[in-house]
Amino acid sequence: MALDDFDRELIAATQGGLPLVARPYEAVGAMLGVPGERVRERLAEMLASGLVRRIGAVPNHYRLGYTANGMSVWDVDDAQVDALGARVGALTFVSHCYRRPRHAPAWPYNLFAMLHGRSREEVERQACEIATLLGAACAGHEILYSTAILKKTGLRLPET
Amino acid sequence: MTPLMLSPEDVRILVRLHGGLPLSDRPFAEVGAELGLEEDALIERLRALLAQGVLTRFGPLFQIERAGGRFVLAALAVPEARYEQVTALVNSLPEVAHNYRREHALNMWFVVAAESPEKTRAALDRIEALTDLPVFAFPKEREFFVELKLPLDHLREEPPDGA
């Protein structure tokens, strides 16, 4: 989906959140000088194309008690990583799961799964479950815990 | 930070509004009707959840890759003595959306978001030039599942009879 100027304005106006008012799309339209109808139509198209993943609440893991956030990384046999990655991604405690390139020798890991728990012990248990699932296809893993948020702006479309 | 106890009503709101805000003229009236809440009351609860920090925001979640844009996860091995300085340098780029300190030799992990792969590459090159450290880029090659599946049940207050 190619972005035009209106799309950029629409993204800039809404990526920080919708106004919490009775007619939120009308309010966004008022900011952009168009009817709310146009905002709704374009957001519907963006949803259909996948440019908008969803419209709703974005919870704060930390505030909900999920204070242990571990990026688990796995060295999985290349021939099996896609099939196994799909199974890891489907686990309820995995929020994001991706295959990414290795940087040998410093970084042998090719599967990343974000884990969220209320304690590190809980995250370790989740990692054990993944290790069991991967079995002999996995040659090693680590869990990288976040210890500080250095920046979190939301994924902004940079000004162009 | 003490985890918040959410009321059963808040949990219902979060579960219903994880996505799927209707694209209608009065979406909160519509969702309120489903949940048995007045439009005003629902808006008020959402404002409160935002104010308490339970929600980081409420609105559309964009996936700019679908418009040709690109996110790339990248990491640096930052010497401890330079950590603060490098943090400031990396964070100064508007393309850097998230940045986390992690316990590892690769101790700084950030996401670069730009409208095109070229701009993303340029931002990573600029970080290398600014910090004089090699950037390890981890572009996603395949996404297996991305969905928030946090079980919210434990956040409900225990009913008095333990039922």
Side-chain angles (χ1 to χ4, degrees):
Chain A
M1 177 177 231
L3 296 185
D4 63 20
D5 288 346
F6 174 67
D7 293 331
R8 282 175 225 283
E9 286 177 27
L10 181 57
I11 293 169
T14 57
Q15 66 186 348
L18 283 175
L20 288 175
V21 296
R23 293 190 160 85
Y25 306 116
E26 198 63 41
V28 171
M31 285 190 262
L32 303 180
V34 300
E37 186 76 37
R38 173 122 191 253
V39 171
R40 291 193 269 136
E41 281 169 6
R42 193 57 183 154
L43 285 175
E45 287 164 3
M46 288 176 167
L47 264 174
S49 75
L51 175 57
V52 170
R53 197 190 279 281
R54 57 188 173 89
I55 305 176
V58 183
N60 176 348
H61 293 191
Y62 288 91
R63 202 73 179 94
L64 290 172
Y66 288 82
T67 50
N69 294 280
M71 183 173 75
S72 71
V73 295
W74 307 81
D75 175 3
V76 182
D77 175 40
D78 288 318
Q80 300 180 66
V81 65
D82 286 348
L84 289 167
R87 293 178 58 196
V88 171
L91 295 169
T92 52
F93 49 80
V94 173
S95 67
H96 300 68
C97 188
Y98 300 105
R99 189 184 84 212
R100 301 186 186 276
R102 308 172 202 266
H103 291 274
W107 188 264
Y109 309 109
N110 59 342
L111 185 70
F112 288 54
M114 286 302 311
L115 305 178
H116 304 276
R118 279 154 278 163
S119 65
R120 287 196 180 192
E121 291 69 31
E122 187 175 353
V123 171
E124 310 283 333
R125 281 197 298 277
Q126 295 168 348
C128 275
E129 222 175 291
I130 295 177
T132 306
L133 192 158
L134 296 175
C138 175
H141 80 277
E142 287 188 76
I143 304 173
L144 281 67
Y145 290 100
S146 59
T147 52
I149 299 174
L150 305 170
K151 184 177 187 182
K152 189 167 188 178
T153 56
L155 294 167
R156 302 266 164 190
L157 188 68
E159 307 290 327
T160 48
Chain B
M1 201 183 314
T2 325
L4 288 174
M5 293 311 293
L6 298 181
S7 69
E9 185 173 274
D10 287 340
V11 173
R12 281 199 307 139
I13 291 172
L14 289 186
V15 169
R16 169 59 187 85
L17 282 177
H18 174 56
L21 183 74
L23 283 163
S24 58
D25 187 39
R26 311 228 352 216
F28 299 111
E30 209 174 303
V31 172
E34 287 173 38
L35 297 175
L37 287 169
E38 296 294 325
E39 180 183 43
D40 285 354
L42 176 58
I43 291 173
E44 215 34 66
R45 279 320 299 158
L46 289 170
R47 284 185 181 156
L49 291 168
L50 272 172
Q52 292 168 340
V54 171
L55 301 182
T56 53
R57 68 201 160 79
F58 186 91
L61 209 69
F62 290 98
Q63 192 174 206
I64 61 168
E65 279 150 318
R66 295 295 168 88
R70 197 150 182 224
F71 297 153
V72 174
L73 177 71
L76 292 171
V78 183
E80 278 307 319
R82 291 187 60 203
Y83 206 90
E84 217 171 301
Q85 177 222 358
V86 171
T87 301
L89 289 171
V90 170
N91 288 357
S92 72
L93 272 77
E95 293 89 347
V96 172
H98 295 172
N99 189 1
Y100 288 90
R101 183 174 183 126
R102 294 192 183 276
E103 290 175 347
H104 192 268
L106 291 176
N107 55 3
M108 186 180 289
W109 289 78
F110 47 92
V111 173
V112 166
E115 230 188 291
S116 68
E118 294 72 30
K119 286 180 183 168
T120 305
R121 187 65 248 169
L124 294 175
D125 288 347
R126 184 156 162 73
I127 290 169
E128 281 203 335
L130 282 171
T131 62
D132 200 28
L133 294 169
V135 170
F136 290 79
F138 297 96
K140 67 179 167 197
E141 295 174 335
R142 181 143 177 203
E143 173 179 315
F144 295 108
F145 202 78
V146 176
E147 188 55 54
L148 189 80
K149 292 168 289 188
L150 294 183
L152 289 165
D153 280 351
H154 77 280
L155 296 165
R156 296 177 203 266
E157 286 181 82
E158 289 290 330
D161 58 1

